[in-house]
């Protein structure tokens, strides 16, 4: 019997946060621009797109005529109905990201394109460190306050596990400067990205916690002018629904031509590298 993965998000709290989103959505704007650029580089016209997202007010107009569905655990997508599926800025809240990717692949026709964008990597690493240090100092313990972020390599592996062909994962990094920590919190509220972790503490945090976190943040993550830096990494995932006419990687050892012959080069045996001089 297969066990369901534990819930990462409190879906009720997440829905409440998202309902209040609005204002400066710079990270979503950057994600939209990058996705448009990537789509412009694909030599294909898509006629049946779908967009999976948590903020339909932001992504509903991204692709004309697209079917827009919520990032529910069970996606409201029909099998084989689409030639393009985009998972937009919500996969990081999924308790079962592989399940989300598998459902997206099933919704694609053969040789259909899947694109996802989500925060990952070092996103909010500075905030996570400052809050953790402040809480340990004040309470002697830790509680979940910032959503854990997946690394690029792990996210790329998810594409393979989900059965996509020609999987690619890459990242673009953005550093934003803030005059005060409360402005960063304001941006997170605007994007519906406040703490909605299922394991979070439900009682209100003491005000001193955030005051101390602001002090730590300023001490470790500020430039000479006193501006606080915050890192946002956007991870992009690309994969194709398998199809017979797609290029296939060659079997290791199946090459019929030596690389040296193809390049017109002469092979020479490697010499042993010189030993480094001992250090004083």
């Amino acid at each position: 019997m297969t066990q369901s993965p534990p819930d990462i998000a409190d879906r009720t709290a997440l829905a409440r946060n998202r309902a209040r989103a609005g204002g400066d959505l710079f990270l979503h704007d950057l994600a939209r621009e990058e996705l448009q650029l990537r789509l412009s580089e694909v030599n294909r016209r898509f006629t049946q797109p779908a967009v999976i997202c948590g903020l339909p007010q932001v992504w509903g107009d991204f692709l004309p005529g697209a079917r827009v569905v919520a990032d529910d655990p069970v996606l409201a997508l029909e099998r084989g109905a689409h030639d393009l599926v985009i998972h937009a800025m919500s996969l990081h809240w999924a308790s079962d990201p592989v399940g989300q990717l598998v459902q997206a692949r099933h919704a694609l026709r053969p040789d259909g394109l899947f694109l996802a964008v989500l925060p990952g990597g070092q996103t909010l690493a500075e905030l996570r460190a400052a809050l953790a240090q402040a809480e340990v100092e004040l309470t002697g313990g830790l509680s979940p306050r910032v959503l854990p972020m997946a690394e690029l390599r792990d996210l790329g592996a998810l594409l393979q596990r989900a059965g996509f062909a020609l999987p690619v994962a890459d990242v673009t990094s953005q550093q934003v400067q803030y005059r005060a920590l409360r402005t960063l919190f304001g941006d997170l509220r605007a994007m519906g990205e406040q703490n909605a972790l299922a394991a979070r503490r439900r009682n209100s945090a003491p005000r001193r916690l955030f005051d101390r976190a602001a002090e730590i943040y300023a001490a470790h993550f500020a430039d000479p002018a006193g501006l606080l830096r915050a890192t946002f990494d956007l991870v992009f995932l690309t994969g194709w629904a398998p199809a017979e006419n797609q290029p296939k990687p060659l079997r290791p050892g199946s090459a019929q031509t030596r690389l040296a012959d193809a390049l017109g080069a002469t092979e020479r045996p490697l010499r042993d590298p010189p030993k480094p001089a001992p250090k004083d």
Side-chain angles (χ1 to χ4, degrees), residues 157-215:
L158 295 185
L159 285 170
Q160 294 179 312
R161 288 179 58 191
F164 282 104
L166 308 173
V168 176
D170 63 288
V171 63
T172 181
S173 186
Q174 181 89 1
Q175 285 209 337
V176 182
Q177 293 179 315
Y178 291 95
R179 296 190 181 278
L181 192 57
R182 64 177 178 273
T183 312
L184 170 58
F185 287 139
D187 275 353
L188 295 178
R189 282 193 297 272
M191 293 184 285
E193 294 290 340
Q194 308 103 295
N195 188 358
L197 289 164
R200 75 190 188 283
R201 288 185 180 174
R202 306 307 169 99
N203 55 319
S204 299
R207 179 175 178 80
R208 176 58 182 155
L209 172 66
F210 296 104
D211 291 341
R212 179 58 183 142
E215 295 169 357

Side-chain angles (χ1 to χ4, degrees), residues 256-276:
Q256 300 297 314
T257 304
R258 294 162 64 246
L259 180 60
D261 294 338
L263 298 176
T266 302
E267 289 183 292
R268 293 184 176 88
L270 292 174
R271 299 176 182 175
D272 291 334
K275 295 181 180 180

Side-chain angles (χ1 to χ4, degrees), residues 5 7 12 40-41 62 66 69 72 77 82 148 150 166 173 207 229 242 249 279:
D7 290 332
T12 300
S40 71
E41 296 173 347
F62 181 64
V69 302
D72 295 327
L77 293 175
H82 302 282
L166 308 173
S173 186
R207 179 175 178 80
R229 74 174 184 271
K279 296 180 180 180

Side-chain angles (χ1 to χ4, degrees), residues 30-50:
L30 178 61
R32 286 171 61 104
E33 292 173 9
E34 286 284 340
L35 284 176
Q36 289 287 13
L37 177 61
R38 289 156 196 265
L39 286 171
S40 71
E41 296 173 347
V42 178
N43 187 24
R44 184 177 300 187
R45 181 172 176 266
F46 298 101
T47 59
Q48 296 292 328

Side-chain angles (χ1 to χ4, degrees), residues 75-120:
L75 301 174
L77 293 175
E78 296 179 18
R79 192 180 186 98
H82 302 282
D83 53 4
L84 170 65
V85 173
I86 291 178
H87 210 304
M89 296 294 286
S90 58
L91 190 59
H92 56 301
W93 283 109
S95 297
D96 182 13
V98 174
Q100 291 277 297
L101 297 184
V102 169
Q103 291 180 74
R105 178 174 62 80
H106 287 168
L108 285 167
R109 300 168 183 166
D111 206 31
L113 176 61
F114 173 77
L115 286 170
V117 56
L118 68 153

Side-chain angles (χ1 to χ4, degrees), residues 120-133 146-149 151 175 184 217 220-221 229-233:
Q122 294 301 302
T123 297
L124 298 177
E126 302 90 350
L127 178 60
R128 184 178 293 104
L131 283 171
Q133 183 177 335
V146 181
L147 180 69
M149 295 292 165
E151 294 296 333
Q175 285 209 337
L184 170 58
Y217 208 118
H220 295 282
F221 306 112
R229 74 174 184 271
T231 300
F232 295 91
D233 285 350

